[in-house]
């Protein structure tokens, strides 16, 4: 807000004049800019406390601040403005030339290597137009490429000017292998050490060495120098996550993880993943879309003390009291000095090579002893305790009722052909909001009709939107953030009568879903070992899908969390009780339709009479009906048919009492035995 209008200036001057406020109008301007840069939904009404703690006593003032925030949030951020992609690419190349660089890599990442990033870190989207959740661009003087995985094969070509950027599939072609083949000998190739983890930076260095080039860390990101209207960092309020939802006090967690650090012989752990810090300290935030954590860094000492590096403007008095004496709050800029001090003292520091930024290693210097290992919070966080699981189950029952109401409405509304993808997803969000408990969606809803459903991470826009018409399939992948749990569900439904091919493909996907849901496996089994169960029935007819079968899910945290997963990609992390993971096989017929069937499941001990060792199984958490019109019963075994009927009976029993009479009548039919 470099040039506030007269109304905004008067409001901020009036606010600064209040006795309880000790900030200047200029500081309030910067604070409001940061608040407006954060997603509104997760911030909740708590953001008003950051501006004026006693705003609740001044209704008119609160209304004025809300209106100001709305105006600021609507300002252009430069990502979707009229500047053509070629001009942006030319501007970047000119900036690189000015800095003496022959190329630069642009990851879809922020300083924390997270999936969801603030608007200020959407550099890949600004440069290329690609808005997927993962990817890279590499810009050289005479060529450029963009790298995406199988989820985005169609999306990248729809969003990116392929005359400027060659789209390449990952991992078939990785940025480092492309660099090794395309960098000129003697070239100086730039990278932002904040945006690349240690392992990623090592791969870039090896690629440059192979090409006879030099990898050069930049002091500031060159895109930031040429991106007009770039938003400021977000400032969403940090709120306590109460013990009745967390199930374990923060001081107990700190002691538990500190013991892991001490047992490994380390003096401190650098925590760079905001969800790890949120879990450890029992706090939540709203700096990035759809994920309730505050952006921050932390140093956990072996005695359990924590240095939290965070913009203190995010902290209310209640949150400061919640953090307690064991947590020293420091400004983000103080992290550099803290790391340098550890290095100078010869400390042993634990860094996660897949998430700690290369910048941190440089600040530690040569004096520190580095232990490279997985974030020690990741595994404990993934194994939900009994209190967390109780909350997650409650969230899924609440969410299942909203989704069931939606499916009943869809069955009545969609056959007319008047409903489009955006209106359909808006209605689903409205029904979740009617629960009165939702904080936000857990990700942008994927609402894909007909061929749009074949785009794995499709996002409907006014330019791409389609109507739901009879004779096509409709795929809706959605979820919500509730204070007691995070949900994620995909249902594929037929609008009208599905074709025999649709029914066969749907049923083969369902068979894979059931195989995973019914699986029992020895303790020590990884998700990679189970992945083929979900694909087997597709493989038998020459079909497959290019995404993982299952991702971990947090407890009112990220909808995508590790360290476990179910995927073709090798993963050494064994599944353990309390882990939540999605079960979501699919099939995508390009230009025609997409099919995905997703429930969340929790790992639990299995009781097997006569078992020679300990076994585990899955508890299905998600509760909403499948579209029986899409099922071909002749392709199901008796055991598979029994599983579907038992699941639908459970949905009737647990969801039926929560919905209105008309929805209950539809549900009784929708869950009829097959």
């Amino acid at each position: 807000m470099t040039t506030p209008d007269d109304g905004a200036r008067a409001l901020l001057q009036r606010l600064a004049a209040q006795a309880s406020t000790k900030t200047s109008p200029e500081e309030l301007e910067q604070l409001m800019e940061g608040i407006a840069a954060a997603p509104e939904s997760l911030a909740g009404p708590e953001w008003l406390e950051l501006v004026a703690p006693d705003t609740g006593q001044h209704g008119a003032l609160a209304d004025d601040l809300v209106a100001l925030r709305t105006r600021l949030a609507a300002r252009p951020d430069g990502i979707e403005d009229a500047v053509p992609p070629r001009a942006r690419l030319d501007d970047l190349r000119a900036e690189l030339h000015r800095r003496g660089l022959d190329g630069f890599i642009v990851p879809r990442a922020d300083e924390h290597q997270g999936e969801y990033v603030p608007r200020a870190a959407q550099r890949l989207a600004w440069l290329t137009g690609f808005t997927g959740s993962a990817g890279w661009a590499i810009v050289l003087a005479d060529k450029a490429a963009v790298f995406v995985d199988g989820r985005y094969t169609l999306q990248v070509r729809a969003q990116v000017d392929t005359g400027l950027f060659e789209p390449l599939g990952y991992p078939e072609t990785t940025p480092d292998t492309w660099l090794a083949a395309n960098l000129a000998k003697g070239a100086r190739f730039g990278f932002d050490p904040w945006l690349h983890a240690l392992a990623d930076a090592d791969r870039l260095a090896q690629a440059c060495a192979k090409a006879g080039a030099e990898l050069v860390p930049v002091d500031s990101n060159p895109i930031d120098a040429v991106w007009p209207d770039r938003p400021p960092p977000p400032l969403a309020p940090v709120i306590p996550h109460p013990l009745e939802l967390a199930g374990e006090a923060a001081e107990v967690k700190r002691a538990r993880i500190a013991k892991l650090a001490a047992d490994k012989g380390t003096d401190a752990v650098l925590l760079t993943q905001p969800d790890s810090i949120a879990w450890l300290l029992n706090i939540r935030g709203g700096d990035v879309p759809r994920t309730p954590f505050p952006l921050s860094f932390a140093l956990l000492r072996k005695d359990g003390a924590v240095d939290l590096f965070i913009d203190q403007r995010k902290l209310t008095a209640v949150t400061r009291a919640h953090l307690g004496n064991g947590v020293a709050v420091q400004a983000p800029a103080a992290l550099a000095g803290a790391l340098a001090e550890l290095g100078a003292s010869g400390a042993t520091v634990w860094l996660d090579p897949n998430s700690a930024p290369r910048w941190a290693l440089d600040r530690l210097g040569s004096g520190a002893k580095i232990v490279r290992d997985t974030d020690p919070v990741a595994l404990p966080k993934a194994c939900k305790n009994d209190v967390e699981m109780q909350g997650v189950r409650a969230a899924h029952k609440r969410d299942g009722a909203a989704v069931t109401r939606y499916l009943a409405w869809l069955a009545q509304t969609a056959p007319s052909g008047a409903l489009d993808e955006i209106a359909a997803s808006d209605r689903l969000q409205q029904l979740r909001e009617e629960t009165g408990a939702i904080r936000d969606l857990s990700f942008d809803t994927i609402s894909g009709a007909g061929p749009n459903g074949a785009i794995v991470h499709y996002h409907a826009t006014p330019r791409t939107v389609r109507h739901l018409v009879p004779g096509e399939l409709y795929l809706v992948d959605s979820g919500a953030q509730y204070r007691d749990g995070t949900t994620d569900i995909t249902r594929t439904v037929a609008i009208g009568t599905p074709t025999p091919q649709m029914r066969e493909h749907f049923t083969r996907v369902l068979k894979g879903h059931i195989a995973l849901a019914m699986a029992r496996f020895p303790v020590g089994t990884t998700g990679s070992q189970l992945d083929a169960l979900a694909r087997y029935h597709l493989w038998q007819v020459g079909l497959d899908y290019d995404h993982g079968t299952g991702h971990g899910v947090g407890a009112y945290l990220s909808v995508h969390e590790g360290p476990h997963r179910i995927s073709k990609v090798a993963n050494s992390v064994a599944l353990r009780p309390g882990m939540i993971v999605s079960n979501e096989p699919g099939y995508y017929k390009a230009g025609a339709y997409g099919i995905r069937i997703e429930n969340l499941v929790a790992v639990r001990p299995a009781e097997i009479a006569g078992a020679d060792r300990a076994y585990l199984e899955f508890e299905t958490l998600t509760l909403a009906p499948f579209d029986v019109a899409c099922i071909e019963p002749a392709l199901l075994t008796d055991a598979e048919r029994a599983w579907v009927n038992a699941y639908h009976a459970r949905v009737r029993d647990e969801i039926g009492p929560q919905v209105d009479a008309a929805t209950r009548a539809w549900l009784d039919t929708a869950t009829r035995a097959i």
Side-chain angles (χ1 to χ4, degrees):
M1 198 166 61
T2 54
T3 55
D5 57 45
D6 291 341
R9 185 179 292 107
L11 170 63
L12 295 172
Q13 289 174 345
R14 175 160 52 102
L15 185 59
Q18 288 187 357
S20 61
T21 303
K22 299 179 181 179
T23 51
S24 68
E26 293 74 22
E27 290 171 324
L28 285 172
E29 289 177 16
Q30 295 173 3
L31 177 60
M32 284 299 302
E33 280 191 316
I35 289 171
E40 183 173 8
S41 50
L42 280 170
E46 296 90 353
W47 71 264
L48 286 165
E49 297 179 32
L50 302 181
V51 185
D54 58 353
T55 303
Q57 303 174 20
H58 306 280
L61 177 59
D63 291 344
D64 288 343
L65 286 171
V66 169
L68 175 58
R69 185 192 191 285
T70 300
R71 294 205 307 274
L72 293 175
R75 291 188 311 172
D77 57 16
I79 295 177
E80 297 182 358
D81 65 19
V83 178
R86 181 173 294 279
R88 300 183 188 203
L89 185 58
D90 289 344
D91 287 346
L92 176 59
R93 282 178 168 145
E95 179 66 16
L96 296 178
H97 179 73
R98 188 184 70 79
R99 298 186 183 203
L101 296 174
D102 300 296
F104 190 71
I105 184 168
V106 184
R108 200 279 187 180
D110 64 2
E111 295 87 342
H112 308 275
Q113 316 303 315
E115 176 183 4
Y116 287 99
V117 302
R119 287 190 295 160
Q122 292 278 8
R123 298 177 179 93
L124 183 63
W126 178 84
L127 178 65
T128 69
F130 174 67
T131 60
S133 64
W136 303 262
I138 294 179
V139 175
L140 302 180
D142 59 347
K143 64 181 67 174
V146 59
F147 304 79
V148 299
D149 62 45
R151 296 171 296 173
Y152 300 114
T153 302
L154 299 179
Q155 180 177 334
V156 70
R157 292 184 176 276
Q159 292 184 322
V160 177
D161 184 340
T162 57
L164 301 177
F165 296 89
E166 179 187 6
L168 296 171
Y170 175 90
E172 295 81 8
T173 303
T174 63
D176 50 295
T177 56
W178 189 90
L179 271 180
N182 288 276
L183 267 180
K185 186 175 182 179
R188 300 181 75 251
F189 184 77
F191 82 109
D192 187 335
W194 272 111
L195 306 184
H196 296 269
L198 306 185
D200 186 24
D202 288 346
R203 286 189 289 269
L204 292 176
Q206 291 167 8
C208 288
K210 187 175 181 179
E214 178 187 0
L215 182 65
V216 180
V218 298
D219 293 328
S220 62
N221 197 295
I223 285 186
D224 298 351
V226 296
W227 177 357
D229 300 321
R230 179 170 170 258
L235 294 173
V238 181
I239 61 176
H241 191 56
L243 185 60
E244 56 266 28
L245 295 178
E248 185 178 16
E251 55 266 28
V252 177
K253 292 180 179 180
R254 288 193 282 111
R256 182 151 64 103
I257 307 303
K259 185 177 185 305
L260 295 176
D263 290 347
K264 195 177 282 289
T266 61
D267 299 300
V269 181
L270 176 62
L271 298 175
T272 64
Q273 301 265 280
D275 58 336
S276 290
I277 298 168
W279 178 89
L280 182 69
L281 302 181
N282 284 345
I283 55 176
R284 297 296 187 265
D287 285 330
V288 300
R290 314 305 192 196
T291 308
F293 56 55
L295 295 176
S296 59
F297 292 91
L299 277 170
L300 172 65
R301 313 284 179 165
K302 63 181 179 181
D303 63 358
V306 168
D307 294 301
L308 176 63
F309 301 91
I310 191 169
D311 192 317
Q312 298 185 43
R313 292 176 294 175
K314 302 178 188 178
L315 304 180
T316 65
V318 171
T319 302
R320 288 179 181 274
H322 163 82
L323 289 171
N325 294 330
V327 179
V329 179
Q330 301 192 47
L335 178 58
L339 293 176
E341 183 178 339
L342 285 170
S345 67
T348 301
V349 182
W350 184 334
L351 300 179
D352 185 334
N354 294 310
S355 61
R358 169 60 187 273
W359 176 91
L361 184 64
D362 295 339
R363 300 290 82 70
L364 285 165
S366 59
K369 303 176 186 67
I370 306 301
V371 171
R372 298 190 180 205
D373 204 349
T374 302
D375 178 345
V377 173
L379 187 56
K381 172 170 58 68
C383 298
K384 313 304 185 280
N385 59 46
D386 290 343
V387 171
E388 288 175 313
M389 285 306 307
Q390 290 172 10
V392 166
R393 293 186 188 102
H396 277 84
K397 285 188 68 173
R398 182 187 312 118
D399 197 65
V403 173
T404 298
R405 290 178 63 199
Y406 173 72
L407 293 173
W409 170 83
L410 194 68
Q412 181 180 20
T413 307
S416 70
L419 185 66
D420 68 32
E421 296 162 333
I422 295 176
S425 62
D426 286 349
R427 175 58 177 162
L428 178 53
Q429 180 171 346
Q430 179 186 16
L431 290 169
R432 284 188 164 114
E433 289 172 348
E434 289 178 7
T435 67
I438 187 175
R439 290 287 288 186
D440 195 6
L441 302 181
S442 57
F443 56 95
D444 292 337
T445 298
I446 299 168
S447 175
N452 285 345
I455 303 172
V456 177
H457 275 203
Y458 170 73
H459 177 64
T461 67
R463 183 175 60 85
T464 65
V465 67
R466 284 177 53 89
H467 281 75
L468 284 61
V469 297
E472 293 187 343
L473 295 181
Y474 171 61
L475 184 154
V476 56
D477 185 350
S478 68
Q481 294 283 8
Y482 302 98
R483 283 254 167 91
D484 50 2
T486 301
T487 68
D488 183 1
I489 173 176
T490 307
R491 289 295 181 263
T492 303
V493 300
I495 309 302
T497 303
T499 66
Q501 185 186 61
M502 292 174 180
R503 288 165 60 89
E504 178 188 350
H505 290 163
F506 182 96
T507 307
R508 288 188 178 277
V509 173
L510 178 62
K511 286 168 74 71
H513 179 97
I514 295 170
L516 199 55
M518 295 178 65
R520 290 178 163 184
F521 45 94
V523 169
T525 301
T526 68
S528 303
Q529 293 171 298
L530 298 179
D531 182 75
L533 294 176
R535 301 178 190 267
Y536 174 81
H537 297 285
L538 290 167
W539 285 351
Q540 301 317 297
V541 291
L543 306 178
D544 202 357
Y545 51 94
D546 292 328
H547 58 74
T549 299
H551 56 83
V553 178
Y556 189 45
L557 275 173
S558 177
V559 75
H560 293 151
E561 76 169 17
H564 59 296
R565 62 177 181 267
I566 301 175
S567 170
K568 289 180 183 179
V569 179
N571 182 358
S572 62
V573 179
L575 296 171
R576 301 190 183 193
M579 286 181 169
I580 298 173
V581 64
S582 64
N583 173 3
E584 51 178 315
Y587 172 66
Y588 309 91
K589 186 176 176 62
Y593 52 80
I595 299 166
R596 186 158 63 250
I597 301 171
E598 178 185 19
N599 285 343
L600 297 191
V601 298
V603 183
R604 67 184 181 188
E607 301 296 332
I608 304 176
D612 62 354
R613 66 200 67 192
Y615 274 72
L616 301 171
E617 64 183 5
F618 292 120
E619 169 195 355
T620 296
L621 301 170
T622 305
L623 296 168
F626 305 125
D627 187 357
V628 295
C630 290
I631 299 175
E632 178 50 67
L635 291 177
L636 297 178
T637 65
D638 290 344
E640 290 167 341
R641 188 178 294 107
W643 185 92
V644 172
N645 289 337
Y647 175 73
H648 275 165
R650 181 183 166 208
V651 171
R652 278 197 308 275
D653 291 344
E654 297 195 36
I655 299 301
Q658 299 186 73
V659 297
D660 57 275
T663 300
R664 178 60 190 261
W666 173 86
L667 180 61
D668 289 342
T669 300
T671 57
R672 62 189 180 275
I674 58 173

